[in-house]
Amino acid sequence: AELYSYTEEPEFSANRRCFEEDSQRQGRCPPRRVASRRPRGPRGRPARHLPFAARGRRWAQLGDAQQRGVVMRLLDGLDAAGRERRLRAARALLYLAQGTFGDCDDEGDVLRWSRHNSFLLYQMGTFSAFLELLNMEIDNSQACSSALRKPAVSVADSTELRVLLSVMYLMVENIRVEQEPEPPSWKSCRETFRKELSFPVRTEEPFALLLLTMVTKFCSGHAPHFPMKKVLLLLWKVLLFTLGGFEALQAMKVKRRQELGLPPLPENSIEVTRSMRAASPPACSIELCEQPPPPKRGHRSRRPLVKQDSLDIYNERDPFKNDEAGVDEEESDDVEGGIEGELDLMERDAMIPAMPAQRPPIEKVSFPKGLPWAPKVRQKDIEHFLEASRNKFIGFTLGQDTETLIGLPRPIHESVKTLKQHKYVSISDVQIKNEEELEKCPMSLGEEEVQETPCEVLYRAMLYNLPQYMIALLKILLAAAPTSKAKTDSINILADVLPEEMPTTVLQSMKLGIDVNRHKEIIVKSISAVLLLLLKHLKLNHIYQFEYVSQHLVFANCIPLILKFFNQNIMSYITAKNSISVLDYPYCTVHDLPELTAESLEAGDNNQFCWRNLFSCINLLRVLNKLTKWKHSRTMMLVVFKSAPILKRALKVKQAMMQLYVLKLLKIQTKYLGRQWRKSNMKTMSAIYQKVRHRMNDDWAYGNDIDARPWDFQAEECTLRANIEAFNSRRYDKPQDSEFAPVDNCLQSVLGQRLELPEDFHYSYELWLEREVFSKPIHWEELLHYQ
């Protein structure tokens, strides 16, 4: 449904008309006799499509050979010289990819036929044909110059591109998703399609790179008519298809650890996160009412309830509760909703039942059986612990030796044993160690064997223009963020949603306003998913590939951009209702359109959450975690940009996964926020202890970290950049005159080589011989010194 804007809704009928007119011309699907009255819908209502044919299962009645014949004829139409004829053939193929809804009675039928037709279209070579047309449209300078001259670009300027991208999107989405049962031919089609998108044969770049090139061309201002929403959605689905989603990523991670001889993962992070429960306020609101009010201390008594109680799962008492009000000015805006605003929208009915007159007996507090995550320890943590212990008890250190414990007291022995039990070696640690060895011994270790994975192919193709790709994605994300102000110099991302004729009535304006907001939400969703997928897959493929992308995101101000995104009323964003369900595909194709009114548009759907926006928020939080984890310089950026109050407001959303990543971001900067902040946010600290993974000797809550020295931050980033450049140079730069290139010392093979000489050499070779050979004395006796 998100592929189509509401402005495009009339084009469903245009696609159907093109298909049926082509069928009538060819006589394959003869037009049925239409009564003089308007044809009726499946439930006796008038069909809302154009009355050029009565409803009937004509496409379903064709055999496989006949269906293939229809597709082949339409593909021939794509080769026509006339632009209008090509567009009509493409629209007819889009109607097939959309599920031949004119022959269907309900949404399920439309989706089943869309899936069936997508496999049929791929088997007939439709994707390759559309890829050629897409390349033609990208290079269409006439369309670009025409759009540049217009004062306002509308959906009419991107008609051909939208049709092409829609067909390709539907094919990718239908083929990549596995649904049992399905015929064996579909499974082989899926694998062939995945390889075709991942490992290009005829072209030198994977399909995802073509879409990224469209993004950069759009952001540069050379092609303002490109439909960015469709491009970004297709890019997201192509990455999901070729690289794999999070489930596939987890399986790849397990397999890679086995190959490297590392112990298995302590837990499946996806399953742990799914089973986590969101932090909620106390279960009984009457208990809150019976709590004694805090003593009046001038202006400090202005808050009737403490915001931090909403993070208390087990109804603990906070000794600093009375002192908290008024200390942290950042939280003054958190009281707006009261307790009702803090309750989980999905659990509100269960959380506050109807209370009897007397107070019910207090139930025993149920504590969890264990922490959700297994604790982890890095090798570096063990080394730091032993270094401090040896300095304290012995007076000297042994470098990186973690085995020798002579002279240390018994409790230190037990501590080291416990730390080693929970030691975790990541794939990144192994990759960094291997890279150091390759840099030290390039001759003895020889060439590195690089596995040709889809991720490796994509990174190699992206490498030299990667900064432009990241900047372009962040530019569009900034333009689509709800907190962004409209600027004259910013890029126009609404080209594929604005109609040719602007609305003239209030109802049309309301509908367009909903469509524009929905359009922006979908763009944010797709960009956040693309960034997260790229970061996670590149980190598994090689840590320095991940660090290269991360550095360019940081250099392009990704961290303040994400914080700016969250600096809004996040509850309003999560619960936004920017959708009109009756206009969504496939509902709108098989049902009559009711008369829209201002009341129905304002009501929106019945969902309590907008899952699209929740998905975007979680993705952006995860990207922020990826950029800042173990990077003290970037963590200080969070502190400098005052991210703590922004992130604390995001804790209002009672969703476990979102709260987890917010708490992670708060944990890494807690040591820099000062004792007063920690004192007045004890409930947040408790939530971090309960939900975030423990690092054994990480004193994150006290600020005693030896790595927190401000003068090291710049050096850390520069060292990382040098390591990344050395990695890219060693693996991807292939210089011709390398000092390590093998030398041919055989006289016969050297003299037998054919050299490419310039065309004018035979005119001046005698002069060259005189100057370079005959005029130079040859000291034959010097040869004796080399015997």
Side-chain angles (χ1 to χ4, degrees), residues 251-309:
M252 290 160 59
K253 193 173 182 180
V254 170
K255 182 181 177 184
R256 185 68 61 85
R257 289 185 69 84
Q258 289 177 347
E259 293 172 353
L260 295 174
L262 298 174
L265 292 166
E267 73 270 301
N268 186 333
S269 57
I270 298 175
E271 295 302 324
V272 173
T273 311
R274 280 176 179 166
S275 61
M276 291 181 74
R277 179 180 178 273
S280 304
C284 296
S285 58
I286 194 169
E287 292 181 16
L288 294 174
C289 299
E290 293 183 6
Q291 289 179 356
K296 295 184 178 181
R297 297 185 187 177
H299 70 281
R300 291 195 176 193
S301 61
R302 73 183 188 275
R303 299 181 60 185
L305 291 171
V306 181
K307 163 69 176 71
Q308 288 293 308
D309 273 347

XYZ file of all heavy atoms in Angstrom, residues 251-309:
462
model
N 21.585 -15.857 11.302
C 22.079 -17.171 10.868
C 23.487 -17.051 10.267
O 24.355 -17.900 10.504
C 21.117 -17.763 9.851
N 23.725 -15.994 9.489
C 25.056 -15.775 8.915
C 26.093 -15.523 10.003
O 27.238 -15.978 9.911
C 25.011 -14.590 7.945
C 24.244 -14.866 6.666
S 23.720 -13.359 5.813
C 25.279 -12.561 5.533
N 25.692 -14.817 11.051
C 26.610 -14.535 12.149
C 27.005 -15.824 12.869
O 28.182 -16.037 13.195
C 25.939 -13.554 13.117
C 26.878 -12.929 14.128
C 26.135 -11.853 14.920
C 27.063 -11.163 15.911
N 26.353 -10.127 16.683
N 26.031 -16.689 13.121
C 26.314 -17.978 13.771
C 27.257 -18.813 12.909
O 28.228 -19.406 13.411
C 24.992 -18.730 14.041
C 25.262 -20.156 14.495
C 24.151 -17.984 15.069
N 26.982 -18.853 11.612
C 27.827 -19.633 10.700
C 29.245 -19.064 10.642
O 30.236 -19.822 10.659
C 27.198 -19.626 9.305
C 27.956 -20.455 8.284
C 27.287 -20.386 6.918
C 28.100 -21.154 5.878
N 27.504 -21.024 4.528
N 29.399 -17.747 10.600
C 30.714 -17.135 10.530
C 31.524 -17.407 11.795
O 32.732 -17.634 11.733
C 30.561 -15.627 10.315
C 31.859 -14.862 10.098
C 32.517 -15.208 8.785
N 31.659 -14.885 7.670
C 31.582 -13.680 7.104
N 32.325 -12.690 7.566
N 30.786 -13.472 6.076
N 30.868 -17.389 12.947
C 31.575 -17.691 14.196
C 32.074 -19.139 14.204
O 33.162 -19.430 14.712
C 30.660 -17.428 15.402
C 30.387 -15.950 15.655
C 29.582 -15.748 16.923
N 30.356 -16.076 18.097
C 31.202 -15.254 18.714
N 31.367 -14.022 18.244
N 31.859 -15.629 19.775
N 31.273 -20.037 13.654
C 31.723 -21.425 13.559
C 32.944 -21.547 12.665
O 33.896 -22.272 12.974
C 30.588 -22.307 13.027
C 29.448 -22.518 14.011
C 28.311 -23.332 13.418
O 28.256 -23.540 12.195
N 27.389 -23.776 14.258
N 32.935 -20.834 11.530
C 34.067 -20.893 10.602
C 35.342 -20.352 11.239
O 36.445 -20.842 10.957
C 33.738 -20.096 9.331
C 32.633 -20.707 8.487
C 32.206 -19.797 7.353
O 32.691 -18.642 7.318
O 31.396 -20.232 6.510
N 35.211 -19.337 12.093
C 36.381 -18.736 12.734
C 36.791 -19.462 14.010
O 37.771 -19.068 14.662
C 36.105 -17.263 13.054
C 35.891 -16.337 11.849
C 35.481 -14.948 12.300
C 37.149 -16.263 10.992
N 36.054 -20.501 14.388
C 36.383 -21.251 15.594
C 36.040 -20.529 16.878
O 36.627 -20.824 17.934
N 35.085 -19.615 16.840
C 34.669 -18.889 18.036
C 33.524 -19.615 18.722
O 32.754 -20.339 18.077
C 34.222 -17.462 17.666
C 35.294 -16.555 17.039
C 34.666 -15.246 16.598
C 36.422 -16.292 18.028
N 33.385 -19.461 20.035
C 32.253 -20.102 20.731
C 30.928 -19.538 20.244
O 30.871 -18.398 19.748
C 32.511 -19.759 22.208
C 33.433 -18.586 22.187
C 34.260 -18.727 20.958
N 29.851 -20.302 20.372
C 28.549 -19.813 19.880
C 28.073 -18.598 20.650
O 28.556 -18.299 21.755
C 27.619 -21.017 20.095
C 28.292 -21.829 21.143
C 29.760 -21.638 20.956
N 27.132 -17.893 20.060
C 26.572 -16.704 20.701
C 25.862 -17.088 21.994
O 25.202 -18.140 22.063
C 25.580 -16.024 19.759
C 26.172 -15.382 18.498
C 25.073 -15.048 17.508
C 26.959 -14.136 18.849
N 25.973 -16.256 23.028
C 25.318 -16.603 24.300
C 23.802 -16.617 24.212
O 23.151 -17.325 24.965
C 25.807 -15.513 25.269
C 26.261 -14.384 24.394
C 26.748 -15.009 23.121
N 23.217 -15.859 23.294
C 21.770 -15.860 23.118
C 21.426 -15.285 21.754
O 22.273 -14.691 21.096
C 21.066 -15.044 24.219
C 21.223 -13.540 24.097
C 22.443 -13.025 24.825
O 22.521 -13.237 26.031
O 23.307 -12.418 24.184
N 20.187 -15.497 21.350
C 19.667 -14.909 20.116
C 19.068 -13.554 20.463
O 18.040 -13.466 21.132
C 18.614 -15.835 19.499
C 18.143 -15.352 18.141
O 18.172 -14.156 17.855
N 17.720 -16.268 17.297
N 19.732 -12.499 20.027
C 19.313 -11.154 20.423
C 17.903 -10.827 19.956
O 17.165 -10.103 20.624
C 20.304 -10.115 19.883
O 20.416 -10.221 18.484
N 17.506 -11.371 18.799
C 16.156 -11.091 18.288
C 15.111 -11.670 19.237
O 14.129 -11.009 19.595
C 16.000 -11.681 16.875
C 16.999 -11.020 15.914
C 14.570 -11.514 16.369
C 17.003 -11.628 14.533
N 15.325 -12.932 19.676
C 14.354 -13.572 20.553
C 14.316 -12.892 21.918
O 13.246 -12.734 22.517
C 14.705 -15.057 20.709
C 14.597 -15.861 19.425
C 13.206 -15.805 18.817
O 12.218 -15.779 19.603
O 13.087 -15.761 17.588
N 15.482 -12.498 22.444
C 15.507 -11.835 23.753
C 14.736 -10.523 23.697
O 13.930 -10.211 24.579
C 16.972 -11.593 24.196
C 17.008 -10.759 25.469
C 17.679 -12.915 24.423
N 14.956 -9.758 22.638
C 14.279 -8.459 22.525
C 12.771 -8.640 22.371
O 11.987 -7.854 22.908
C 14.844 -7.673 21.327
O 16.272 -7.684 21.382
C 14.365 -6.243 21.347
N 12.374 -9.681 21.635
C 10.933 -9.914 21.461
C 10.248 -10.250 22.776
O 9.074 -9.937 22.977
C 10.718 -11.064 20.468
C 10.857 -10.665 19.019
C 10.726 -11.869 18.131
N 10.837 -11.496 16.715
C 11.029 -12.359 15.736
N 11.149 -13.647 16.003
N 11.123 -11.952 14.486
N 10.961 -10.928 23.654
C 10.332 -11.370 24.907
C 10.407 -10.318 26.000
O 9.864 -10.524 27.084
C 11.007 -12.653 25.392
O 12.382 -12.424 25.658
N 11.077 -9.200 25.756
C 11.181 -8.161 26.781
C 9.849 -7.445 26.946
O 9.077 -7.303 25.995
C 12.279 -7.162 26.422
C 13.678 -7.736 26.509
S 14.954 -6.536 26.108
C 14.915 -5.538 27.573
N 9.609 -6.985 28.147
C 8.371 -6.278 28.452
C 8.672 -4.802 28.618
O 9.678 -4.426 29.207
C 7.763 -6.846 29.742
C 6.472 -6.168 30.185
C 5.952 -6.812 31.461
N 4.750 -6.154 31.924
C 4.735 -5.096 32.706
N 5.875 -4.559 33.093
N 3.595 -4.559 33.112
N 7.805 -3.978 28.098
C 8.010 -2.536 28.220
C 7.859 -2.096 29.667
O 7.046 -2.640 30.416
C 7.004 -1.793 27.341
N 8.661 -1.128 30.063
C 8.544 -0.571 31.410
C 7.243 0.218 31.516
O 6.891 0.992 30.636
C 9.737 0.335 31.700
N 6.504 -0.008 32.612
C 5.188 0.598 32.776
C 5.098 1.266 34.140
O 5.880 0.983 35.041
C 4.092 -0.476 32.675
O 4.198 -1.163 31.450
N 4.117 2.143 34.312
C 3.906 2.746 35.633
C 3.329 1.731 36.597
O 2.993 0.616 36.199
C 2.916 3.874 35.332
C 2.241 3.459 34.082
C 3.224 2.665 33.297
N 3.194 2.079 37.900
C 2.606 1.138 38.862
C 1.247 0.650 38.408
O 0.482 1.387 37.770
C 2.506 1.974 40.144
C 3.581 3.002 40.004
C 3.685 3.293 38.538
N 0.927 -0.576 38.756
C -0.249 -1.230 38.179
C -1.547 -0.589 38.622
O -2.519 -0.604 37.899
C -0.230 -2.713 38.546
N -1.616 -0.068 39.824
C -2.888 0.430 40.351
C -2.810 1.943 40.519
O -1.989 2.439 41.309
C -3.221 -0.225 41.687
S -3.482 -2.005 41.552
N -3.680 2.633 39.836
C -3.643 4.092 39.933
C -4.073 4.574 41.309
O -3.659 5.637 41.753
C -4.551 4.701 38.862
O -5.871 4.213 39.027
N -4.894 3.766 42.015
C -5.353 4.216 43.331
C -4.211 4.260 44.330
O -4.189 5.046 45.261
C -6.496 3.295 43.826
C -7.206 3.944 45.017
C -5.972 1.920 44.207
C -8.498 3.252 45.395
N -3.201 3.372 44.109
C -2.033 3.389 44.984
C -1.247 4.683 44.821
O -0.707 5.218 45.774
C -1.131 2.190 44.686
C -1.760 0.871 45.065
C -0.821 -0.283 44.765
O 0.374 -0.022 44.561
O -1.294 -1.411 44.741
N -1.235 5.172 43.597
C -0.550 6.439 43.370
C -1.260 7.572 44.080
O -0.644 8.478 44.626
C -0.465 6.733 41.875
C 0.401 5.783 41.053
C 0.250 6.119 39.585
C 1.850 5.915 41.472
N -2.603 7.507 44.076
C -3.364 8.573 44.710
C -3.156 8.581 46.219
O -3.257 9.615 46.878
C -4.847 8.426 44.395
S -5.202 8.532 42.637
N -2.890 7.387 46.817
C -2.754 7.308 48.254
C -1.335 7.578 48.750
O -1.077 7.553 49.927
C -3.195 5.922 48.729
C -4.678 5.703 48.525
C -5.116 4.348 49.068
O -4.285 3.663 49.694
O -6.277 4.001 48.874
N -0.419 7.794 47.820
C 0.926 8.125 48.255
C 0.928 9.494 48.921
O 0.259 10.419 48.446
C 1.896 8.147 47.062
C 2.194 6.773 46.513
C 3.136 6.869 45.342
O 3.491 7.954 44.915
N 3.541 5.719 44.830
N 1.678 9.664 50.022
C 1.700 10.989 50.668
C 2.348 12.009 49.768
O 3.324 11.709 49.082
C 2.552 10.738 51.923
C 3.375 9.531 51.598
C 2.517 8.684 50.705
N 1.809 13.199 49.727
C 2.409 14.229 48.862
C 3.774 14.634 49.391
O 4.035 14.565 50.593
C 1.414 15.390 48.944
C 0.719 15.189 50.248
C 0.651 13.706 50.483
N 4.664 15.048 48.511
C 5.993 15.480 48.961
C 5.888 16.762 49.770
O 4.976 17.566 49.574
C 6.751 15.707 47.644
C 5.687 15.946 46.635
C 4.513 15.135 47.060
N 6.811 16.959 50.716
C 6.765 18.208 51.512
C 6.981 19.422 50.631
O 7.712 19.377 49.652
C 7.929 18.026 52.495
C 8.825 17.019 51.856
C 7.932 16.102 51.074
N 6.312 20.506 51.002
C 6.396 21.721 50.195
C 7.724 22.419 50.453
O 8.087 22.703 51.583
C 5.239 22.667 50.537
C 3.879 22.097 50.161
C 2.777 23.075 50.424
C 1.438 22.506 49.991
N 0.344 23.459 50.222
N 8.433 22.673 49.372
C 9.705 23.387 49.475
C 9.729 24.507 48.452
O 10.464 24.454 47.475
C 10.881 22.458 49.213
C 11.014 21.334 50.213
C 12.291 20.578 49.905
N 12.425 19.394 50.702
C 13.446 18.543 50.570
N 14.376 18.783 49.677
N 13.527 17.459 51.313
N 8.892 25.458 48.630
C 8.869 26.566 47.664
C 8.427 26.067 46.303
O 7.389 25.429 46.155
N 9.258 26.336 45.287
C 8.883 26.004 43.914
C 9.036 24.515 43.628
O 8.635 24.051 42.587
C 9.752 26.800 42.937
C 11.173 26.338 42.919
N 12.078 26.711 43.898
C 11.849 25.534 42.053
C 13.249 26.176 43.642
N 13.144 25.453 42.526
N 9.614 23.742 44.543
C 9.864 22.341 44.229
C 8.616 21.476 44.310
O 8.648 20.326 43.930
C 10.911 21.771 45.180
C 12.292 22.355 44.954
C 13.318 21.528 45.629
N 14.642 22.039 45.333
C 15.756 21.389 45.582
N 15.700 20.204 46.145
N 16.931 21.907 45.297
N 7.541 21.997 44.850
C 6.347 21.172 45.005
C 5.410 21.287 43.820
O 4.248 20.966 43.915
C 5.610 21.600 46.273
O 5.220 22.962 46.155
N 5.913 21.740 42.684
C 5.020 21.983 41.554
C 4.638 20.703 40.821
O 3.764 20.708 39.975
C 5.664 22.952 40.572
C 6.790 22.364 39.762
C 7.420 23.401 38.856
N 8.373 22.820 37.936
C 9.626 22.590 38.221
N 10.098 22.867 39.434
N 10.442 22.064 37.322
N 5.302 19.569 41.111
C 5.039 18.343 40.352
C 4.313 17.331 41.226
O 4.865 16.849 42.215
C 6.349 17.746 39.843
C 7.080 18.678 38.917
C 8.333 18.060 38.421
N 8.047 16.823 37.690
C 8.993 16.030 37.224
N 10.248 16.322 37.428
N 8.684 14.934 36.566
N 3.075 17.012 40.923
C 2.327 16.081 41.779
C 2.844 14.653 41.687
O 2.780 13.921 42.650
C 0.898 16.187 41.245
C 1.064 16.610 39.818
C 2.276 17.484 39.789
N 3.337 14.237 40.538
C 3.826 12.872 40.364
C 5.184 12.919 39.707
O 5.456 13.788 38.899
C 2.863 12.060 39.490
C 1.516 11.737 40.134
C 0.605 11.135 39.101
C 1.693 10.800 41.305
N 6.015 11.979 40.030
C 7.376 11.969 39.502
C 7.389 11.212 38.195
O 6.905 10.088 38.115
C 8.326 11.302 40.514
C 9.749 11.305 39.971
C 8.266 12.065 41.837
N 7.923 11.829 37.179
C 7.976 11.219 35.850
C 8.691 9.877 35.861
O 8.306 8.933 35.208
C 8.676 12.183 34.904
C 9.177 11.566 33.605
C 8.017 11.171 32.728
C 8.539 10.647 31.409
N 9.187 9.351 31.538
N 9.752 9.763 36.654
C 10.565 8.571 36.601
C 9.819 7.341 37.104
O 10.248 6.225 36.860
C 11.847 8.777 37.418
C 12.813 9.728 36.756
C 13.349 9.134 35.485
O 13.834 8.032 35.459
N 13.235 9.868 34.398
N 8.699 7.510 37.849
C 7.952 6.341 38.297
C 7.444 5.509 37.131
O 7.168 4.329 37.280
C 6.760 6.765 39.156
C 7.164 6.904 40.613
O 8.275 6.431 40.932
O 6.399 7.462 41.396
